[in-house]
Amino acid sequence: MNDGPTSGQVLGARDAESLVADARRALWVMVSFVAVLWIVQVVNWANDYRLSLEYGILARDVDSLPTVLSSPFLHFSWGHIESNSGPLFVFGFLAALRGVRKFLGVTALIVLVSGLGAWLTHPPGTVGAGASGVVLGYFGYILVRGLFDRRGVDIVVGLVMALCFAYQFSVLVPGEAGISWQAHLFGFLGGVLGGWVFRDRRAKTAPTEVAAAPPAARAETEPAPPQQPTVHKADDAVGRPDA
């Protein structure tokens, strides 16, 4: 007779299936995201990049505030979008592994923090566009997510990403002219903030054990059996308790 799977094996299989499902969803989300960027880039290129000029962030212009939401989808050249697409896909995929809904919330926060920071700190009269602020936001989120969620696997992933993509830290400070280090810095801070805002708040309680009562305690709590009449063997009569 063959033994069936144990509870541990069933839970392990379910965890693996859940991980595969999450990875599949994260993959399609990022494929769709990057595809939208490239479709917009083709349209933008065909119009001599007018979309970037019209819907990019115009620093400290109140009328330009809504462009905080549109600027991450716009780029100024093919080289610009090519340099962003790879890291965006990798970091975005890892960020989306813990749930698409959480990922969308983190993305919205990163876009707002990065865009508003660039709007406030860019030199007056300049226009900013590009997904690099979002890229650095995902990078920051991945680095701190495991610490806030207290999940060992995510801590390891964050350390590996920090080591493999350490050059990303160089774009958080002033450098090459024409590169928005402000959007990078505020995007990174937005990702760190997203790790805290969207941290796992589920209560982690230790399993409780119910101790068996000692025999003496059980005897006290159990109802006493009904009293049997006393038999007097002297006359074989059944004695009755006194009234």
Side-chain angles (χ1 to χ4, degrees), residues 34 56 59-60 62 81-82 99 124 132 179 200 202 231-232:
V34 175
R60 304 175 196 177
V62 176
I81 190 173
E82 288 173 1
S132 54
I179 302 298
D200 190 354
R202 290 178 300 177
V231 178
H232 296 272

Side-chain angles (χ1 to χ4, degrees), residues 12-33:
R14 289 178 180 174
D15 291 341
E17 292 175 359
S18 177
L19 179 60
V20 171
D22 290 341
R24 186 182 297 111
R25 284 192 290 267
L27 176 64
W28 283 111
V29 166
M30 291 313 302
V31 167
S32 301
F33 192 177

Side-chain angles (χ1 to χ4, degrees), residues 4 9 42 52 54 83-84 86 97 107 113 146 149 178 182 194 208 238:
Q9 290 173 333
V42 171
S52 295
E54 293 178 7
S83 63
N84 283 335
L97 275 177
T107 301
V113 175
D149 288 348
Q182 297 96 327
T208 58
V238 177

Side-chain angles (χ1 to χ4, degrees), residues 77 79-80 83 122-123 132 167 169-184:
S77 67
H80 190 195
S83 63
H122 277 175
S132 54
Y167 67 90
F169 292 106
S170 65
V171 300
L172 302 178
V173 294
E176 183 180 349
I179 302 298
S180 177
W181 63 270
Q182 297 96 327
H184 297 167

Side-chain angles (χ1 to χ4, degrees), residues 190-213:
V192 173
L193 179 61
W196 181 79
V197 171
F198 294 96
R199 66 190 183 279
D200 190 354
R201 291 181 172 84
R202 290 178 300 177
K204 298 180 179 179
T205 58
T208 58
E209 296 181 358
V210 179

Side-chain angles (χ1 to χ4, degrees), residues 31-218:
V31 167
S32 301
F33 192 177
V34 175
V36 169
L37 292 185
W38 280 82
I39 291 172
V40 172
Q41 170 65 12
V42 171
V43 177
N44 199 11
W45 166 78
N47 287 275
D48 295 326
Y49 295 100
R50 292 178 184 175
L51 294 179
S52 295
L53 296 175
E54 293 178 7
Y55 297 100
I57 298 175
L58 181 59
R60 304 175 196 177
D61 184 335
V62 176
D63 294 335
S64 179
L65 274 175
T67 62
V68 166
L69 303 177
S70 59
S71 60
F73 296 91
L74 303 168
H75 296 81
F76 286 107
S77 67
W78 291 107
H80 190 195
I81 190 173
E82 288 173 1
S83 63
N84 283 335
S85 294
L88 178 68
F89 183 85
V90 173
F91 298 153
F93 173 78
L94 293 174
L97 275 177
R98 292 302 175 191
V100 173
R101 182 178 300 179
K102 180 185 290 190
F103 170 76
L104 294 177
V106 171
T107 301
L109 182 60
I110 292 171
V111 169
L112 289 175
V113 175
S114 176
L116 290 175
W119 183 84
L120 285 170
T121 58
H122 277 175
T126 58
V127 177
S132 54
V134 179
V135 171
L136 270 297
Y138 289 155
F139 182 59
Y141 174 69
I142 293 168
L143 296 187
V144 302
R145 177 178 58 188
L147 298 176
F148 289 128
D149 288 348
R150 298 180 181 179
R151 185 178 286 113
V153 173
D154 289 338
I155 293 176
V156 173
V157 170
L159 290 174
V160 172
M161 291 297 102
L163 293 174
C164 293
F165 296 91
Y167 67 90
Q168 294 285 353
F169 292 106
S170 65
V171 300
L172 302 178
V173 294
E176 183 180 349
I179 302 298
S180 177
W181 63 270
Q182 297 96 327
H184 297 167
L185 176 60
F186 282 98
F188 182 84
L189 295 177
V192 173
L193 179 61
W196 181 79
V197 171
F198 294 96
R199 66 190 183 279
D200 190 354
R201 291 181 172 84
R202 290 178 300 177
K204 298 180 179 179
T205 58
T208 58
E209 296 181 358
V210 179
R218 288 202 301 267

